């Protein structure tokens, strides 16, 4: 017999989930993609970290209004349904279930495996271990989260504290021991188009910043979501942006952008330069803890989406996916997301998977930002424990920033974008079929 999810998550679990979901693989590994796109120039990369942070904070301030007003399990899917209707709400949940969460988990698992292989020696034999490690860490994390949601929240809190250690050490000793290489000059390398490249590097930084909205997926399991959810999102994002700027300047303080563009893990390179081989390996181990925290965060929140879809029987296998164990964990939904993640991980492509998922999810983020304005007009009397400051300027900034990233990705990477669109649109005939069958 299925049980209802219990309200047993507090503010500490919420803010650690925000920070844990956001600070993970991106800040340690995405500088390589960023400085490759800029052709080894640092300036536009740092600008992108700043712009990406501002867009994310504007988005967080905007979407938090909806999160607090509609504190139900399901997160963005529920917001879209409330604003645009059940069909579009289902499409949001479908995209998150079959693309965003498993694709992101796969990307994080792949980069975890690559870092672990390099830590073991980075020989050709060790690189063959990437796929088994990636699949293994997905399955292990899924198992841990089936123990129960409160246990998953506990893991998240510990992993978040653990991940701050390499960040703090690199920031402090990077500035102390670095030689102050150029931070903003040149802006881009030769033959680089600044506008289209900005779109590319923003996709990379937004992946590093992503995860903030997904804490809304556990709103229905929070003790006091109206009070704790806005503080967790806004406070967590402000902390993340400050840390990201500091550590990326510290990277450049130690190694030029042209060198960071040539290695899989810029953070490990910088750590080795600062602390030597042994110290670098210890920092790399800390980075693995950070990446594990991100992986756990996504597997904590992601399965709550297909679980929410089972309420109306709109997703195939609803009876199976709706089952909850004694630990208040939707265990079958967790295994669904984990299996899909393993399939995506077979590509072994970190940047391709992350670009695919960020494009897809930002389409719906923009719809959520627009929805705040729509909801203000349609339901002015709706109880809003939190209202976005600077309305409507902040929502407009979020909308324009997100629209630029989505449109630029459509133009510059049409195949990746088309793949995301096709996977998402498949949800429409499934919705039609399941709706007719249920009625």
């Amino acid at each position: 017999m299925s049980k209802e999810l219990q309200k047993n998550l507090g503010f500490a679990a919420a803010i650690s989930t925000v920070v844990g979901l956001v600070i993970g693989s991106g800040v340690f590994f995405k500088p390589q993609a960023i400085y490759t796109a800029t052709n080894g120039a640092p300036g536009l990369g740092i600008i992108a970290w700043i712009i990406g942070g501002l867009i994310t904070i504007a988005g967080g301030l905007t979407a938090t209004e909806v999160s607090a007003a509609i504190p139900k399990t399901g997160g963005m899917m529920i917001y879209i349904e409330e604003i645009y209707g059940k069909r579009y709400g289902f499409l949001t949940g479908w995209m998150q279930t079959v693309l965003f969460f498993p694709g992101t988990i796969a990307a994080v698992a792949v980069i975890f495996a690559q870092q672990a292989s390099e830590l073991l020696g980075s020989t050709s034999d060790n690189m063959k271990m990437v796929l088994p490690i990636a699949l293994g860490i997905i399955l292990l994390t899924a198992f841990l989260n089936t123990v129960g949601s409160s246990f998953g929240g506990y893991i998240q809190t510990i992993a978040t504290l653990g991940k701050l250690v390499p960040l703090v050490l690199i920031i402090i000793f990077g500035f102390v021991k670095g030689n102050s290489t150029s931070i903003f000059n040149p802006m881009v390398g030769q033959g680089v188009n600044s506008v289209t490249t900005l779109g590319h590097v923003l996709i990379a930084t937004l992946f590093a910043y992503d995860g903030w909205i997904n804490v809304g997926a556990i709103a229905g399991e929070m003790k006091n979501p109206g009070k704790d959810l806005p503080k967790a999102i806004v406070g967590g994002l402000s902390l993340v942006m400050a840390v990201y700027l500091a550590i990326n300047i510290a990277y450049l303080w130690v190694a030029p952008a042209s060198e960071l563009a040539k290695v899989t893990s810029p953070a490990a390179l910088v750590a080795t330069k600062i602390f030597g081989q042994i110290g670098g390996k210890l920092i790399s181990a800390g980075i693995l803890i950070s990446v594990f925290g991100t992986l756990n965060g996504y597997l904590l929140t992601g399965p709550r989406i297909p679980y929410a879809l089972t309420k109306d029987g709109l997703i195939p296998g609803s009876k199976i996916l709706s089952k909850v164990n004694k630990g208040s964990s939707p265990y079958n939904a967790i295994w669904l997301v984990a299996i899909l993640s393993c399939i995506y991980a077979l590509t072994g492509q970190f940047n391709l998977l992350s670009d695919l998922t960020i494009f897809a999810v930002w389409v719906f983020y923009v719809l959520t930002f627009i929805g705040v304005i729509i909801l203000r007009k349609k339901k002015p009397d709706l109880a809003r424990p939190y209202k976005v400051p600077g309305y409507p300027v902040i929502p407009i900034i979020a909308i324009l920033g997100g629209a630029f990233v989505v449109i630029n990705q459509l133009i510059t990477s049409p195949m990746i974008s088309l793949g995301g669109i096709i996977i998402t649109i498949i949800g429409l005939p499934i919705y039609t079929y399941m709706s007719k069958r249920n009625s």
Side-chain angles (χ1 to χ4, degrees):
M1 180 177 178
S2 296
K3 296 181 178 181
E4 292 295 319
L5 295 178
Q6 300 172 7
K7 293 181 179 293
N8 53 14
L9 298 180
F11 172 74
I15 194 168
S16 65
T17 299
V18 174
V19 176
L21 283 168
V22 176
I23 298 180
S25 58
V27 69
F28 298 118
F29 301 101
K30 276 298 182 181
Q32 186 265 343
I34 290 170
Y35 296 126
T36 297
T38 63
N39 199 12
L44 192 63
I46 292 296
I47 295 297
W49 284 109
I50 296 172
I51 295 175
L54 293 175
I55 292 173
T56 303
I57 288 177
L61 289 169
T62 302
T64 300
E65 178 173 318
V66 186
S67 299
I70 313 172
K72 302 176 183 177
T73 293
M76 184 167 62
M77 175 187 68
I78 301 300
Y79 316 151
I80 295 290
E81 178 181 324
E82 186 81 16
I83 299 164
Y84 300 101
K86 187 173 290 290
R87 180 184 300 271
Y88 295 101
F90 171 82
L91 200 62
T92 306
W94 171 263
M95 178 276 299
Q96 291 177 300
T97 298
V98 302
L99 175 56
F100 175 72
F101 277 107
T104 302
I105 290 166
V108 173
V110 166
I111 204 66
F112 177 97
Q114 291 178 0
Q115 177 72 25
S117 295
E118 291 182 10
L119 191 60
L120 293 173
S122 192
T123 65
S124 58
D125 289 337
N126 282 335
M127 294 311 291
K128 293 179 181 178
M129 298 170 60
V130 168
L131 188 56
I133 292 174
L135 298 179
I137 196 65
I138 291 171
L139 297 175
L140 171 63
T141 311
F143 170 76
L144 292 175
N145 275 279
T146 60
V147 175
S149 63
S150 59
F151 183 72
Y154 175 76
I155 294 175
Q156 196 60 42
T157 302
I158 297 300
T160 299
L161 293 174
K163 75 174 55 183
L164 294 178
V165 174
L167 287 169
V168 171
L169 290 176
I170 290 175
I171 290 170
I172 293 175
F173 288 95
F175 285 116
V176 170
K177 294 188 175 184
N179 296 316
S180 184
T181 60
S182 179
I183 304 299
F184 287 102
N185 188 40
M187 289 296 293
V188 294
Q190 291 185 346
V192 174
N193 183 297
S194 297
V195 176
T196 56
T197 302
L198 177 62
H200 278 302
V201 294
L202 274 177
I203 280 282
T205 59
L206 289 176
F207 175 81
Y209 280 111
D210 195 57
W212 51 272
I213 201 170
N214 300 314
V215 73
I218 59 172
E221 297 167 73
M222 292 179 64
K223 299 172 184 175
N224 192 351
K227 178 183 177 182
D228 292 342
L229 191 56
K231 290 195 299 182
I233 294 177
V234 177
L237 282 178
S238 298
L239 173 63
V240 168
M241 183 177 179
V243 169
Y244 277 11
L245 286 175
I247 196 168
N248 276 280
I249 293 174
Y251 289 159
L252 293 171
W253 217 258
V254 175
S258 57
E259 189 174 354
L260 297 175
K262 297 176 182 177
V263 292
T264 303
S265 177
L269 169 69
V270 170
T272 302
K273 284 179 174 288
I274 296 173
F275 302 107
Q277 288 294 332
I278 295 177
K281 287 185 179 296
L282 291 174
I283 296 297
S284 296
I287 292 171
L288 285 178
I289 295 174
S290 173
V291 177
F292 173 75
T294 299
L295 190 67
N296 181 74
Y298 278 102
L299 268 166
L300 172 65
T301 57
R304 271 66 186 175
I305 303 302
Y307 174 84
L309 288 175
T310 65
K311 295 297 184 182
D312 295 322
L314 292 174
I315 189 171
S318 290
K319 289 184 178 180
I320 297 174
L321 296 175
S322 65
K323 293 184 180 298
V324 177
N325 62 16
K326 293 181 180 179
S328 188
S329 173
Y331 57 97
N332 284 330
I334 290 174
W335 287 114
L336 169 66
V337 173
I339 291 169
L340 291 173
S341 301
C342 288
I343 294 172
Y344 281 109
L346 294 175
T347 65
Q349 299 294 316
F350 170 62
N351 286 316
L352 184 147
L353 289 171
S354 59
D355 288 354
L356 173 67
T357 59
I358 288 302
F359 167 79
V361 81
W362 267 89
V363 172
F364 289 88
Y365 285 171
V366 172
L367 288 175
T368 303
F369 304 151
I370 296 171
V372 171
I373 299 174
I374 294 174
L375 209 56
R376 285 273 188 119
K377 295 180 178 180
K378 285 176 59 178
K379 298 186 178 181
D381 298 327
L382 180 68
R384 292 175 172 85
Y386 163 89
K387 288 187 177 181
V388 55
Y391 180 89
V393 176
I394 296 297
I396 290 173
I397 291 173
I399 292 166
L400 293 178
F404 169 74
V405 171
V406 169
I407 293 170
N408 186 82
Q409 183 78 346
L410 271 170
I411 295 171
T412 59
S413 302
M415 295 306 295
I416 292 177
S417 305
L418 185 61
I421 291 170
I422 291 173
I423 294 172
T424 301
I425 289 179
I426 289 172
L428 287 176
I430 290 177
Y431 173 83
T432 301
Y433 170 75
M434 295 299 292
S435 297
K436 288 181 177 179
R437 194 182 76 167
N438 292 342
S439 62

